Amino acid sequence: LAILRLNDDGSLGELIEKRQNAGNHPHMVRITPDNRFCISVARGRPSDWPHFSWAADKARQKEPGSLEVIEFRDGALGKQTSVTVGDGYQFGSRHLDFHPTSPWVYVQLETQNEIVVFKRDESGVLPAPLQRLCTLENPDDILLRHMQGTVKVHPHGQALYVANRAHEPIPQRNGTELLLKHLGENSFVVYAIDEATGLLTQIQRIDSGGISPRDFGLDPSGSMLVVANCKGHWVKDGRNINWTPRNLSTFKVFPDGRLEHRHKYEEPVPG
């Protein structure tokens, strides 16, 4: 984990500090809203599962995941605390987001397709999770490679969004590969947030508009969501086989946080 000074013109300046231990396979770094802590989101190393190890996997990971919570003041790092669930071997954390006005922290477990709720205080992140939920509709019926995209809290704090993604095709006897639509979930799950407790209640599950919604963002007003569905595949849906290209899909966001698909901007088909 490296801390670099940011120059007035936006360019990167001198190296202030470098810390070797930021967890196993750190993927994201966030500064808490109060500017007091730096959090390294470390996903660990998944187990060797038949689905190329990235799946909604309940097996023990090869290396544990964790949140490395580090004191942060004037650009310098201080005391470090590790936060995880259990021994961390079923905690494949990859992204997190903060509630804009309350002390809730929402951590996405990519390896397990789960979301975990924590609470912040002046000491950092409290170790006891408040809630842990699976984000898949049928978690016990997973035959394809699944994982998550990212997690975002609505700017007004009333809703949380998590993306599920599945894009591992099935080899066919003729040498081609097909994605079987009924076996994979490419979706958004929308949760209402109880601002008093931070706890989540699912209010919607909606198709992402493509394959593998890897990243998405909400505009500052919270009225529009844009997602990058980053994979293109031949998809079998019943008896029909069609090419689904990569795309950007847009959604209207209603006051309660629910989504409605509006537009799709597809990658041009080569040739």
Side-chain angles (χ1 to χ4, degrees):
L1 177 63
I3 307 294
L4 292 91
R5 193 171 302 281
L6 189 64
N7 296 324
D8 292 339
D9 63 359
S11 62
L12 297 178
E14 64 178 315
L15 175 67
I16 299 175
E17 186 175 349
K18 193 172 185 179
R19 181 161 296 196
Q20 295 296 330
N21 180 21
N24 296 313
H25 299 273
H27 184 78
M28 173 186 250
V29 175
R30 292 290 303 271
I31 302 298
T32 55
D34 58 11
N35 208 37
R36 295 184 56 201
F37 296 92
C38 169
I39 302 180
S40 171
V41 186
R43 59 178 169 82
R45 185 181 177 192
S47 61
D48 288 330
W49 216 49
H51 305 305
F52 306 99
S53 72
W54 286 111
D57 191 357
K58 308 308 177 188
R60 285 176 62 81
Q61 298 183 174
K62 284 190 170 182
E63 294 178 0
S66 64
L67 305 179
E68 298 300 318
V69 184
I70 309 169
E71 292 178 353
F72 181 73
R73 179 176 296 179
D74 299 326
L77 300 175
K79 180 183 175 182
Q80 181 171 336
T81 303
S82 184
V83 174
T84 189
V85 174
D87 58 8
Y89 281 89
Q90 290 179 313
F91 191 79
S93 55
R94 187 157 181 169
H95 299 95
L96 65 74
D97 204 7
F98 302 107
H99 192 276
T101 58
S102 298
W104 318 124
V105 184
Y106 298 96
V107 181
Q108 166 252 32
L109 305 186
E110 182 185 50
T111 311
Q112 292 81 22
N113 277 84
E114 294 180 344
I115 191 81
V116 184
V117 184
F118 290 95
K119 183 180 181 179
R120 291 188 296 112
D121 68 2
E122 60 269 4
S123 67
V125 176
L126 298 178
L130 303 176
Q131 190 178 29
R132 182 168 181 167
L133 298 172
C134 181
T135 62
L136 294 171
E137 186 172 20
N138 299 301
D140 296 324
D141 188 25
I142 299 301
L143 299 177
L144 290 182
R145 180 187 187 193
H146 276 74
M147 61 201 85
Q148 289 179 334
T150 188
V151 57
K152 299 285 175 66
V153 178
H154 189 279
H156 300 160
Q158 82 276 30
L160 180 87
Y161 303 88
V162 185
N164 295 306
R165 54 193 177 114
H167 59 81
E168 194 65 42
I170 302 297
Q172 305 297 299
R173 291 180 181 179
N174 61 3
T176 62
E177 292 184 327
L178 292 176
L179 193 67
L180 306 182
K181 186 174 178 63
H182 70 286
L183 294 182
E185 183 174 345
N186 290 286
S187 66
F188 284 111
V189 188
V190 185
Y191 296 96
I193 297 175
D194 184 326
E195 294 195 38
T197 65
L199 300 184
L200 303 173
T201 302
Q202 181 182 320
I203 58 174
Q204 188 184 28
R205 184 179 301 272
I206 185 172
D207 192 278
S208 72
I211 301 171
S212 191
R214 188 174 183 89
D215 198 9
F216 64 89
L218 293 131
D219 78 299
S221 72
S223 61
M224 180 177 69
L225 181 148
V226 181
V227 58
N229 292 297
C230 70
K231 295 289 185 179
H233 279 301
W234 288 101
V235 178
K236 184 175 182 180
D237 186 3
R239 295 185 177 182
N240 299 316
I241 298 176
N242 296 295
W243 175 255
T244 299
R246 290 177 285 204
N247 69 66
L248 293 177
S249 286
T250 65
F251 293 79
K252 177 180 178 178
V253 182
F254 289 94
D256 66 353
R258 286 181 170 90
L259 302 175
E260 180 181 273
H261 187 261
R262 285 302 175 93
H263 301 288
K264 186 181 294 186
Y265 303 92
E266 294 182 342
E267 177 187 51
V269 178

